Structure formats: C-alpha cells, structure tokens
Amino acid sequence: MKKFINRHKAHHKSLLLLAGPMILSNITVPLLGIVDTAVIGHLGSAHFLAGIALGATVISLLFWLAGFLRMSTTGLVAQAYGEKDYLQLAGLLKRSLVFALIVAFSLIALSPVIKNAIAYLSGSSVQVLAQAYSYFEIRIFSAPAALCNLVLLAWMLGVHYGKGPFYLLLVTNITNIVLDIYFVVYLDWQVAGAAWASLIADYSALLFALFLVFRLAKKMAVPLFLGGWFSRDKMWTLLSLNRDIFIRSLILQLCFSFMTFYGARIGEVTLAVNAVLLNFLMLVSFALDGIAYASEAKVGQAKGQHSVRRINLWVKISVFWGMLFAVCYSVFFALFGSQIITLLTDIPEVIKAANEYLPWLIFMPLAAMSCFLFDGIFVGLTRAQDMRNTMLISALVGFFGVFWLFNTWQNHGLWLAMSSFMLLRGVTLIVRYKQLQTAQQLLN
C-alpha cells in the first residue's frame, strides 16, 4: 500500500484535492437528512416521522431521477476540458440548463398526478398522508432551482473546480439546517417547516451557484455569452446520454422507493425505522461519491486526452481510496451505530427496532463501495448504456429476485435485497470495465 502511494504520490494528491472538498460538503447532505429526521422525530409521534419519510422519499425520487443532468454534464464537460474546447464548455452549460428547466416545469405540471400516486402506492394512514402531502406540495416548487443547481455543480466539477461544489453544497445545507431548526423547533411549523427550509435553501443556492460559474468562466475565458450554442447533433448526443442515465436512475430509485412503500405496508414503525436507517446509507453514499465525483472528472479528462493509461491509473487510485473509506465507515457504524439511532429519534419502539436491523448497515459500506466508484468511472467515460444495462440486471436479480425469495423475512428481507443489489451493481460494472479494457474500447 505504501509503495503504491509513493509511486503515484502526485496523482493521489491531485485526486484528494478534488475529492476532499466534495467529501466534506457531501457529508452535510446526509447531515441535512439527519436534522430533518431528528427535529421531526422528536415531535412525539411516529406519524410525523413517517409522513416526512414518505414525502421526502417522493421528492428524492423525482430529483434523483433528474440526477442524469449532473452525471451527463460532468462526463461531457470533463472530456471537453481534457480537449481544451472552451466553446464546447459554454455550449454544454447552456444546453444542460435549458434541459434542466424543461424537466423541472414538467415535474411541477405533473405534481397533482404524483400526489395521488403517493396514497395509492403507500397505503398509509390518513395522519401519515396528511404530513406527506404537506411536505410534497411545498417542496415540489423548488424543482427549477434544484435541477439547475445539479447542472451548475456538475459543470464546476467537470472543469476540476472542486471548491465550487464544496461552497455550493455547504451554503445550501447549512442554510437548510438553520432554517429547519428555526421553522420546525421555534415556529412549530412541523413538517411544512422542513419543506419551506429546503425550498428557500435551493433558491438561495441557485443565485450563489450562478455567481460562482460566471466568475469561473470569466477567469478561464470560456465564452458563455457567445451565440450558436444550439446544435441538433450535440443536443441529440446530450438527450441520448440523459435517456440512458435516466433509465438507470429510475431503476435505482424504484428499488429505494420500494423499500419505503413496502415498509409502509408492513407498518408505521417499520416505515419510521427505515427512514432512520436510510440516513446511514445516505452518509455512506455521499462520502463515497466524493471519491466517485473526482473519478468522473479525472477519468473524463483522461478520455478527452485520449489516454488509456491515465484512465486505468485513475481507476486504480479511486478504488484504493474508496476501499479505505468503506472500511472506516463500517468500523464507525459498528462502534457508534446505536448512539446515532438515539440521536435521530426518541421513540422507544423505533429505537428498539432500528438496532435490530443495524448489522445490515455495518456491512453496507463494503458491499456498496464498488458500485459507487464505478458509477463515477463510467460517467467519466460517458458509457451510459453500460450503466443502464448493469443496473437493470442488478435490480432484477439482486434486489427483486432476492426479495422474492426472502420476502417472508419482512424488513430483514428488504435489507438483504438492498445489500445484494448494491453488491451486484459493483460486480457487473467491474466485469464490464474489464471487457472494455480487454477489447481496447475505453476511448470509444
């Protein structure tokens, strides 16, 4: 290990300088979810916690489905940055922002249909649905800001400006946390307060992100205001890439949403328990995504430079640091998992049940490490079809197949399915990468 670090010391340092700010800022994202859960979890009734879990899951599903905007933008921008094509950098930003606004206003237009689907799919009680609706009806109007922020963050990451996403996510989440506590705890707005806090934070972040991007573009001499950004071929390339990543994201979110909705059918306590425990997985995912985001930029730049050697080197370095972080998280959850649960809620039946399922979360970082990192690698390579295909196999076999076999285990069956799903995602992506490497198709 020491020899590997010393041999590529400059590359390790370069990756960590890009990943470090992302890791620090990404940690504030699950902390935001933890604060949401904690302030609502201490209102004294499980239906508040279950309601915000249901409403926030729907919003997360919609916004995460739009995560293709960030992934496609990062990969294409990183490759254009590697080629030093500044005109293309400007065009990609504008095309992606237009596409983000189209998606956002479509979500708002469809919100009445989505709201009705919440009741149909969850089968929750009237009290839980009332809280879920309260959250959803406010939060959906943050879509334009939230989706544009994905594009702006991706553009900064693609040009290796790691501090920009760090500042953006930090400002967003600190604003959200402060408003969360003020609206829910001091003004007693309950679940609606958490929704208003998120909406205000998203639009504040949009203004800040635009400022950062304009300043960076001026410094790099990127011609943002030069005309001729629309091209049918380039728009089609972007749409095709987004289509495949959207399908991949849809399958991923169907698995996560199935956990929430099936948990709701098992019972209110189970739904609340999974809301608490999913914060552990969020913490893992965003920490490992810090490395994965850096991989997207580094691998994309290497592809833009037409260097297979550099692609393979960045893959090795990313996997090394990903494994190190995964081990640290597993040890941390084993030592302090029970204490984290008690910070999130003081409802006795939820605490007792959550500790029963904690071992699944201790294992999860090791199972999930490869899928997060190789997602980033394939984003940098803009191999969206491979991401789509491996996700489909993993969901059908690893998640739904395993749950079908072990559904009598109830919530344990859900967590077994999620663990298998994460593990198989990583395995299938690694196998596909090896195939591309052997066939000398990494630059295609």
Side-chain angles (χ1 to χ4, degrees):
M1 182 174 74
K2 185 177 180 180
K3 184 179 179 181
F4 178 65
I5 293 176
N6 289 334
R7 184 187 305 169
H8 304 289
K9 191 173 182 179
H11 292 89
H12 285 282
K13 183 178 179 181
S14 178
L15 183 82
L16 292 178
L17 284 175
L18 186 58
M22 295 303 303
I23 293 172
L24 292 175
S25 56
N26 283 345
I27 288 174
T28 68
V29 177
L31 286 179
L32 172 60
I34 289 172
V35 171
D36 273 346
T37 304
V39 295
I40 300 298
H42 286 81
L43 290 179
S45 177
H47 74 262
F48 285 112
L49 187 56
I52 195 172
L54 192 56
T57 295
V58 175
I59 290 294
S60 294
L61 171 63
L62 298 176
F63 289 1
W64 281 11
L65 283 177
F68 61 81
L69 294 165
R70 189 203 64 77
M71 295 183 192
S72 61
T73 303
T74 301
L76 292 172
V77 167
Q79 291 177 21
Y81 181 70
E83 295 174 344
K84 300 186 184 301
D85 188 344
Y86 293 156
L87 187 61
Q88 176 72 344
L89 287 176
L92 281 168
L93 177 62
K94 288 180 277 191
R95 285 191 289 274
S96 296
L97 284 174
V98 169
F99 198 72
L101 290 173
I102 292 172
V103 174
F105 287 113
S106 298
L107 290 178
I108 294 173
L110 291 171
S111 60
V113 177
I114 298 169
K115 180 182 171 182
N116 291 333
I118 297 175
Y120 176 77
L121 293 173
S122 69
S124 298
S125 67
V126 174
Q127 294 91 336
V128 171
L129 283 175
Q131 299 304 321
Y133 289 162
S134 177
Y135 186 91
F136 176 80
E137 289 171 350
I138 296 167
R139 187 72 198 283
I140 191 63
F141 286 96
S142 67
L147 301 195
C148 286
N149 284 338
L150 288 176
V151 170
L152 295 168
L153 183 150
W155 195 87
M156 289 186 283
L157 181 62
V159 298
H160 291 198
Y161 183 52
K163 291 182 180 179
F166 169 69
Y167 296 145
L168 176 60
L169 290 177
L170 202 60
V171 167
T172 305
N173 294 316
I174 289 177
T175 302
N176 205 335
I177 288 170
V178 171
L179 292 178
D180 224 2
I181 295 171
Y182 180 67
F183 289 156
V184 177
V185 177
Y186 290 96
L187 297 184
D188 196 27
W189 288 3
Q190 299 179 346
V191 171
W196 277 112
S198 296
L199 184 143
I200 294 171
D202 281 336
Y203 280 98
S204 300
L206 176 60
L207 296 176
F208 183 65
L210 288 170
F211 165 75
L212 289 177
V213 167
F214 286 150
R215 188 180 67 172
L216 179 61
K218 183 178 180 180
K219 182 179 179 181
M220 295 175 60
V222 175
L224 286 183
F225 300 104
L226 192 65
W229 61 272
F230 182 81
S231 164
R232 180 177 297 179
D233 291 340
K234 290 179 180 178
M235 184 62 79
W236 177 250
T237 299
L238 181 62
L239 290 174
S240 299
L241 188 61
N242 282 329
R243 177 201 61 205
D244 291 328
I245 298 179
F246 168 77
I247 295 171
R248 169 259 180 207
S249 300
L250 176 62
I251 297 169
L252 175 63
Q253 291 310 314
L254 283 175
C255 294
F256 276 100
S257 296
F258 183 87
M259 281 200 72
T260 297
F261 287 114
Y262 196 89
R265 291 187 179 276
I266 295 174
E268 191 172 276
V269 172
T270 299
L271 178 58
V273 165
N274 287 349
V276 170
L277 294 179
L278 281 172
N279 283 296
F280 285 73
L281 186 54
M282 291 289 285
L283 183 63
V284 172
S285 68
F286 282 106
L288 290 179
D289 270 342
I291 300 295
Y293 289 171
S295 300
E296 293 174 15
K298 293 296 186 181
V299 170
Q301 182 187 32
K303 183 174 179 179
Q305 295 169 337
H306 308 287
S307 174
V308 173
R309 183 188 65 81
R310 291 179 66 85
I311 291 174
N312 290 327
L313 177 60
W314 288 122
V315 170
K316 291 177 183 178
I317 292 173
S318 300
V319 170
F320 171 82
W321 286 104
M323 179 58 73
L324 188 61
F325 275 100
V327 171
C328 290
Y329 271 103
S330 289
V331 172
F332 181 76
F333 290 161
L335 295 175
F336 303 108
S338 296
Q339 291 88 331
I340 295 173
I341 291 170
T342 58
L343 288 175
L344 296 177
T345 180
D346 56 6
I347 302 171
E349 61 267 33
V350 175
I351 293 174
K352 181 181 178 181
N355 276 286
E356 179 184 345
Y357 301 108
L358 182 60
W360 293 110
L361 279 305
I362 295 173
F363 168 73
M364 192 66 72
L366 299 175
M369 184 275 295
S370 295
C371 71
F372 287 117
L373 291 187
F374 275 87
D375 261 352
I377 290 162
F378 274 73
V379 166
L381 295 173
T382 54
R383 301 284 309 191
Q385 288 187 5
D386 292 326
M387 296 172 68
R388 178 198 65 194
N389 295 341
T390 55
M391 182 66 76
L392 181 60
I393 294 169
S394 301
L396 289 176
V397 178
F399 187 85
F400 292 106
V402 168
F403 183 71
W404 180 73
L405 291 173
F406 295 94
N407 66 85
T408 55
W409 291 14
Q410 294 289 299
N411 204 38
H412 278 295
L414 280 176
W415 282 105
L416 173 61
M418 181 56 69
S419 300
S420 302
F421 172 58
M422 291 291 186
L423 186 61
L424 189 56
R425 282 177 59 200
V427 170
T428 52
L429 285 169
I430 291 171
V431 169
R432 183 57 182 151
Y433 181 82
K434 292 294 184 181
Q435 291 174 341
L436 293 172
Q437 193 177 42
T438 302
Q440 298 182 346
Q441 294 179 345
L442 288 175
L443 296 178
N444 292 352

